[in-house]
Amino acid sequence: DSGVTQTPKHLITATGQRVTLRCSPRSGDLSVYWYQQSLDQGLQFLIQYYNGEERAKGNILERFSAQQFPDLHSELNLSSLELGDSALYFCASSVDFRTSGNTIYFGEGSWLTVV
Amino acid sequence: AQTVTQSQPEMSVQEAETVTLSCTYDTSESDYYLFWYKQPPSRQMILVIRQEAYKQQNATENRFSVNFQKAAKSFSLKISDSQLGDAAMYFCAYIRETSGSRLTFGEGTQLTVNP
């Protein structure tokens, strides 16, 4: 158990819908990362937050947004869903983004299936 | 941009034998960290081993060890006394030692352990 908690574990929804994925980082971790893993692609970095502020943005679509709340949990919002958005979405956390060598621990992921 | 390359899409090993997974990376940075993550069929991302670029000594974790060649930008993972539970997808990952950086992953190597 990495200590990073993601909910829901599995989600099936229809095209055009909106979903929210939730992540609770490890106790004491201030930095949260979101990654997408599709079947035919590797792990793609989406976005990073540190102590409530956005710190880095990767290949995140405009239909997607995220935020980190004062209690440090984070949510990834996916809207106008398309079939191609079906993927495993990982949340990860680390203590401090300023020390990038801090190990990044991953949650178990949220499986999203768009039908 | 930093890239990570795993040239072996698939590898297999006999139980109790030793196998080495290859990884090369491209960076102009001098300070960075390298990781190997394991992704079993459950799809959870599990940290296997971590290496700091400024350390010449190769990291070791029980049956797992790395051969870090900084000049050659090579970071291979050696698994000794392979066990059935080692069967998984293995990802090599890189992160810079600067704020706001994120893990860059290789394409992965699927390891099969034969009884």
Side-chain angles (χ1 to χ4, degrees):
Chain A
D1 184 4
S2 67
V4 180
T5 304
Q6 290 187 246
T7 57
K9 286 187 168 41
H10 299 273
L11 188 58
I12 301 175
T13 190
T15 54
Q17 295 299 305
R18 172 190 170 95
V19 299
T20 297
L21 309 180
R22 181 188 169 98
C23 170
S24 294
R26 294 191 321 152
S27 178
D29 284 2
L30 301 176
S31 195
V32 169
Y33 309 76
W34 286 97
Y35 282 82
Q36 178 193 55
Q37 186 179 34
S38 303
L39 280 177
D40 58 351
Q41 294 184 9
L43 286 137
Q44 301 292 325
F45 170 74
L46 296 178
I47 199 164
Q48 177 194 8
Y49 281 84
Y50 174 77
N51 204 20
E53 294 186 5
E54 181 183 307
R55 283 300 179 180
K57 186 175 280 190
N59 301 320
I60 188 167
L61 301 172
E62 287 190 7
R63 300 182 286 108
F64 296 179
S65 65
Q67 56 184 325
Q68 186 179 28
F69 295 87
D71 66 353
L72 301 178
H73 91 271
S74 178
E75 292 182 356
L76 178 66
N77 300 297
L78 315 175
S79 61
S80 302
L81 286 167
E82 302 175 358
L83 296 178
D85 298 328
S86 296
L88 181 58
Y89 291 84
F90 282 108
C91 173
S93 73
S94 65
V95 172
D96 186 344
F97 82 98
R98 289 169 294 190
T99 308
S100 299
N102 278 317
T103 301
I104 297 175
Y105 292 93
F106 284 76
E108 294 185 355
S110 291
W111 278 101
L112 173 65
T113 302
V114 183
V115 298
Chain B
Q2 290 77 26
T3 58
V4 178
T5 303
Q6 294 177 246
S7 59
Q8 307 154 316
E10 297 177 348
M11 290 283 285
S12 63
V13 63
Q14 291 297 126
E15 195 174 3
E17 296 295 311
T18 296
V19 64
T20 298
L21 308 184
S22 301
C23 173
T24 59
Y25 57 95
D26 184 25
T27 183
S28 58
E29 305 287 334
S30 58
D31 295 325
Y32 51 87
Y33 298 79
L34 296 162
F35 302 85
W36 279 98
Y37 283 89
K38 167 185 176 181
Q39 189 176 40
S42 66
R43 302 299 293 270
Q44 185 175 0
M45 292 291 288
I46 301 168
L47 176 68
V48 175
I49 201 164
R50 171 176 182 260
Q51 175 77 45
E52 295 91 338
Y54 62 85
K55 287 188 177 179
Q56 292 187 338
Q57 185 174 6
N58 290 323
T60 299
E61 286 289 343
N62 300 315
R63 297 182 296 105
F64 298 87
S65 62
V66 299
N67 184 4
F68 173 50
Q69 302 290 328
K70 191 172 184 179
K73 297 180 182 175
S74 170
F75 182 60
S76 61
L77 175 69
K78 186 172 80 171
I79 306 174
S80 304
D81 186 25
S82 297
Q83 300 175 1
L84 295 178
D86 295 333
M89 179 73 84
Y90 286 81
F91 290 96
C92 178
Y94 162 99
I95 192 167
R96 294 183 300 167
E97 177 53 79
T98 54
S99 64
S101 56
R102 80 293 297 263
L103 279 173
T104 299
F105 286 89
E107 305 89 341
T109 297
Q110 182 66 51
L111 177 66
T112 300
V113 180
N114 300 309

